[in-house]
């Protein structure tokens, strides 16, 4: 895998990144997906959310978190009184990875490999540079491992604050807080009482993020 690095423009202006990412061939995922789904939101947002990768609906729309996971994410943001319009939302991997059951049209989400996450990471770091948020919220283990290393365990480190700059090898040259919570799609699985509790815990994490910024 060559990785995305050689497709990055010199400028880290958000518009230039979006444009350049459209033709990225840093790994094989561009081949089967419809389009690159880059992050959305304004540079200067104080919160940057990082998901895993676009899903079926995101691939069609070209926008992150617009499908079922996006709808539960929106509900949680509302409950935590965070305006999505004032945040930047992206994914660790910018192309939809999927499989198809034999003879079926439906595209089933397939988890990106570590290699694909690493291949795509230059885009994520460039977005971080362009947006310069005060806090990065990783939604799920894939995003957390992309920024905090492959040994990161969500069960152990959920809600804990990390300093990206302190890590040295990955990240911008200024201090930015990073923390991880669950992926919104995890709130769509399991029996309803368990789902309700998981939703409330997710909202509590988002409220904590909002309070950290005050
Ligand atoms: N899941 C993600 O991680 N990102 C999206 O954009 C949609 C679903
Ligand atoms: Fe490039 Fe990332 Fe798409 Fe791979 S997933 S082709 S690295 S944008």
């Amino acid at each position: 895998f060559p990785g995305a690095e050689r497709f990055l423009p010199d400028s880290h202006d958000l518009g230039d990144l979006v444009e350049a990412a459209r033709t990225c061939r840093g790994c094989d995922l561009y081949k089967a997906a419809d389009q690159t789904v880059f992050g959305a939101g304004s540079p200067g947002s104080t919160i940057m959310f990082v998901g895993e990768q676009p899903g079926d609906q995101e691939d069609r729309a070209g926008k992150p978190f617009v499908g079922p996971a996006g709808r539960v994410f929106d509900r949680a943001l509302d409950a935590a009184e965070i305006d999505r319009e004032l945040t930047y939302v992206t994914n660790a991997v910018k192309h939809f990875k999927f499989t198809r059951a034999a003879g079926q049209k439906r595209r089933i989400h397939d988890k990106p490999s570590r290699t694909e996450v690493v291949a795509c990471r230059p885009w994520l770091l460039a977005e971080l540079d362009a947006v310069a948020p005060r806090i990065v919220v990783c939604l799920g283990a894939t995003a957390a491992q992309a920024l905090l290393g492959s040994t990161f365990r969500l069960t152990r480190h959920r809600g804990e604050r990390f300093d990206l700059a302190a890590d040295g090898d990955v990240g911008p040259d200024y201090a930015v807080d990073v923390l991880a919570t669950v992926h919104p799609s995890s709130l769509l699985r399991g029996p309803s009482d368990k789902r309700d509790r998981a939703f409330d815990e997710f909202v509590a994490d988002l409220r904590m993020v909002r309070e950290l910024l005050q």
Side-chain angles (χ1 to χ4, degrees):
F1 284 113
E5 195 67 58
R6 69 193 168 96
F7 298 93
L8 256 75
D10 292 334
S11 142
H12 282 188
D13 173 81
L14 209 45
D16 293 340
L17 293 177
V18 171
E19 187 54 34
R22 287 177 50 220
T23 50
C24 181
R25 296 178 164 209
C27 74
D28 282 341
L29 294 183
Y30 75 91
K31 291 180 182 167
D34 280 5
Q35 59 187 315
T36 306
V37 179
F38 212 70
S42 39
S45 293
T46 51
I47 312 176
M48 174 163 152
F49 289 103
V50 185
E52 184 191 72
Q53 59 157 344
D56 177 77
Q57 293 191 33
E58 287 79 13
D59 183 48
R60 293 172 203 279
K63 296 193 184 79
F65 283 103
V66 294
R71 284 191 288 276
V72 72
F73 180 48
D74 283 343
R75 270 207 294 130
L77 286 172
D78 273 350
E81 297 174 74
I82 294 174
D83 184 352
R84 180 164 166 173
E85 295 297 311
L86 303 177
T87 72
Y88 186 83
V89 180
T90 191
N91 285 298
V93 169
K94 308 303 195 236
H95 274 103
F96 178 37
K97 183 180 184 181
F98 60 92
T99 54
R100 265 196 186 101
Q104 300 247 298
K105 275 201 107 167
R106 202 163 73 87
R107 305 188 297 176
I108 303 156
H109 164 276
D110 190 11
K111 200 173 139 62
S113 69
R114 177 77 191 152
T115 316
E116 288 152 353
V117 171
V118 170
C120 210
R121 192 166 56 191
W123 292 120
L124 182 61
L125 298 182
E127 284 176 297
L128 202 46
D129 209 25
V131 177
R134 281 177 54 200
I135 191 159
V136 179
V137 180
C138 298
L139 303 171
T142 299
Q145 289 174 355
L147 288 176
L148 298 168
S150 56
T151 59
F152 183 92
R153 292 294 169 268
L154 197 53
T155 42
R156 192 166 339 141
H157 298 298
R158 178 175 181 171
E160 208 175 301
R161 271 192 288 161
F162 293 86
D163 182 353
L164 247 200
D167 179 43
D169 113 54
V170 167
D173 48 14
Y174 56 90
V176 54
D177 276 341
V178 184
L179 61 80
T181 180
V182 295
H183 192 286
S185 68
S186 71
L187 310 173
L188 301 169
R189 295 190 286 263
S192 77
D193 56 331
K194 191 175 147 272
R195 283 203 310 265
D196 289 347
R197 199 167 55 240
F199 180 84
D200 291 345
E201 287 166 3
F202 182 61
V203 170
D205 285 350
L206 296 179
R207 286 213 177 97
M208 175 183 71
V209 167
R210 203 196 56 199
E211 278 156 21
L212 285 173
L213 294 169
Q214 277 160 4

